[in-house]
Amino acid sequence: DVKVTQSSRYLVKRTGEKVFLECVQDMDHENMFWYRQDPGLGLRLIYFSYDVKMKEKGDIPEGYSVSREKKERFSLILESASTNQTSMYLCASSYTGSLWPQHFGDGTRLSIL
Amino acid sequence: AQSVTQLDSQVPVFEEAPVELRCNYSSSVSVYLFWYVQYPNQGLQLLLKYLSGSTLVESINGFEAEFNKSQTSFHLRKPSVHISDTAEYFCAVSRKTSYDKVIFGPGTSLSVIP
């Protein structure tokens, strides 16, 4: 069974901390995505990666960075966490021929205090 | 830029009744259209997609959606819902260009009442 695994389901951090959210996929997919999900806003794309070490900004990249050193792993980094980054974060992947996310992880609910 | 509207934020429906979840989009170019479903405490799953060809697309669990270009709609329907269909449903759109990101609607919460 195909899997996108996010390292934490729930995470609580403090304002100003550097936060790492990890995502691993086992499908050999080229494309990986990080989304933020907020009630009434749907999903908003933070960053997209189409290959190792390659990345594209999404709609809301401010305050975030990403790292993709290996094909199966895509990390989201909150450089200095703020309370307005409290949200649900979803990772997704797809193969090269599919520019839409196909498989999602279960999400990380991040609270910044 | 394209956008997606889901007018109904919540839709309660009795078990075995039909349901329609509405989705309208705006775009100046041709689009791909998607419906995703999110069950409680899970990530999203791709339910069905329209890329080209037949305007009526179906999912394996009995949902269908019809692309209506003139009305810029992609409504999701099921003739008889089950308790297990209770979930959040997201409509999404992307432009048919070499690369364009998917834009998601705000979601519709479907609650099936026993």
Side-chain angles (χ1 to χ4, degrees), chain A residues 35-39 42-44 87-90, chain B residues 38 44 90:
Chain A
Y35 289 92
R36 172 175 170 160
Q37 181 180 13
D38 298 290
L43 276 70
R44 292 177 291 169
S87 187
M88 170 71 86
Y89 291 86
L90 292 166
Chain B
Q38 184 178 33
L44 278 71
F90 294 93

Side-chain angles (χ1 to χ4, degrees), chain B residues 33-107:
Chain B
L33 293 158
F34 311 87
W35 276 99
Y36 289 83
V37 59
Q38 184 178 33
Y39 297 106
N41 297 315
Q42 294 184 25
L44 278 71
Q45 300 176 28
L46 180 60
L47 187 61
L48 47 77
K49 62 183 182 291
Y50 168 76
L51 303 181
S52 64
S54 173
T55 57
L56 184 67
V57 290
E58 299 177 352
S59 72
I60 58 173
N61 59 352
F63 282 94
E64 65 178 30
E66 186 162 20
F67 169 51
N68 187 319
K69 188 176 182 179
S70 63
Q71 297 187 5
T72 61
S73 67
F74 191 55
H75 301 329
L76 183 69
R77 303 183 182 94
K78 189 170 185 179
S80 176
V81 295
H82 303 288
I83 295 291
S84 59
D85 293 324
T86 294
E88 189 89 13
Y89 291 81
F90 294 93
C91 183
V93 63
S94 72
R95 294 181 298 179
K96 284 186 181 181
T97 57
S98 57
Y99 165 66
D100 197 26
K101 60 182 181 289
V102 172
I103 302 297
F104 285 83

Side-chain angles (χ1 to χ4, degrees), chain A residues 80-93:
Chain A
S80 178
S82 64
T83 54
N84 61 13
Q85 293 178 309
T86 291
S87 187
M88 170 71 86
Y89 291 86
L90 292 166
C91 176
S93 71

